[in-house]
Amino acid sequence: MPAISFVDARSTVLREVFKNRILPPVESVPLGDAAGRVLAEAVHADRDMPPLDRSMRDGYAVRSTDMPGRATVIGMVRAGQNFAATIEWCEAVEIMTGAPVPRGADSVVMLEQVTRTDDVIECERPVKPGENINPRGIEAKSGGVVLEAGKRISYSEISLLATVGVSTVTVFRPLQVAILATGDELVPVDAKPLEHQIRNSNAQALAAQVVRAGAIPVTLPVAPDEMPAIHERIERGLSADLLLISGGVSAGKYDLVEDVLRCFTAEFFFDRVAMQPGAPLVFGKVGAKFFFGLPGNPVSTMVTFELFARAAIDLLSGRRASPLAVVLARLTQDFKHRPGLTRFLPAKVENGEVTPVAWKGSNDLVSFCRANAFLIADAKRESWSAGEMLPVILK
Ligand code: AMP
Ligand code: MG
């Protein structure tokens, strides 16, 4: 198969997964355990929000038609109280932020904008009707949808769920993601490798990335570069919701992963992407199960996970979308690359500025750990000057 562009590869993943996904079963969890989960049903306001006309400031509730002018303070209302009387002509009520605006008042003047002498306030400026008041129901009407199904629950959603009284949340069951590292050279992390061996860092990195994506990693035993062993592990991996394979997808004689997947009559959507790191990236499906063959070099594995596998996890977890958080940062120095491939290069972003981090290729974990972002170098362009804005993705 010919290489496809980064953009085509990513949209293929999003399209195929979204089109063919089977949503996970639903379960209920206490609100305190809901952070990071995906909402399985829409959440509605249980009453108008705010439930009454609410003051946004500390100050005085007044009739705007009385201002500029004087008013007699007839009482005080603070959050958690209700003021029984109605404000009449040239009357005011001292009010605290969050307190209900008394009947008769249509605005709140800020404390700083009045002078008070005994129980009389004076305001020298005109006051607009509605000033400093959030009217009842302005944020949401009772029964209206405040959160859509498919939303990942973060701290702000927790706050809203709490506000509308949802103490038990209906969420999708987290995904099980199988992780299979392949390679004769791999030894466990606690082993002392011989010179020609390396520790299996990819399985660890991927497990951490899967957890960060809100799913549950299921790490399989390493497969040596032999068809029967890879076959047996892939079969096990296909019982999870998604299978991530690391290594064995390049063009070498011992890169057997694609051959084994063909034995499962896999459908391949692509097996090469015009990008760096991560060119030998494989994406496909066996029956209803999606898999990724991620290139084995550690930086390639991690970057392709972030750019592709994470999107698949998001959508399979029930999310509606999986946007890449691309931001623009100002280049601190001139920058060049060889056009033809979209490059995701380690970079340091600070105060809106981006500086490429020198690195020695897709095995160079040390440099990669110095970076806090990937800088995106367009495949069609060769050079950029200091001061230009470049897209980056924070790590
Ligand atoms: P491969 O894609 O199988 O040709 O692997 C390319 C290179 O990535 C290997 O030569 C290793 O240096 C490295 N590599 C492969 N798998 C792992 C792994 N699980 N952990 C760390 N490095 C790996
Ligand atoms: Mg290998």
Side-chain angles (χ1 to χ4, degrees), residues 181-182 185-186 198-202 246-248 250 255 295-298 363:
T182 69
E185 71 277 36
L186 301 179
I198 55 170
R199 296 191 177 99
N200 177 11
S201 63
N202 285 352
S246 117
S250 310
D255 291 324
N297 277 313
N363 248 310

Side-chain angles (χ1 to χ4, degrees), residues 179-206:
I179 296 169
L180 170 59
T182 69
D184 287 341
E185 71 277 36
L186 301 179
V187 298
V189 174
D190 52 8
K192 188 156 174 45
L194 301 173
E195 246 176 16
H196 55 278
Q197 295 178 319
I198 55 170
R199 296 191 177 99
N200 177 11
S201 63
N202 285 352
Q204 304 286 337
L206 287 172

Side-chain angles (χ1 to χ4, degrees), residues 265-282:
T265 57
E267 181 181 352
F268 292 90
F269 299 109
F270 56 80
D271 70 353
R272 225 182 146 70
V273 183
M275 64 184 280
Q276 194 195 33
L281 172 68
V282 179

Side-chain angles (χ1 to χ4, degrees), residues 143-168:
V145 171
V146 290
L147 289 170
E148 304 274 356
K151 190 116 215 282
R152 177 99 177 257
I153 301 170
S154 186
Y155 58 89
S156 51
E157 288 73 28
I158 292 280
S159 179
L160 185 45
L161 287 161
T163 300
V164 301
V166 178
S167 56
T168 303

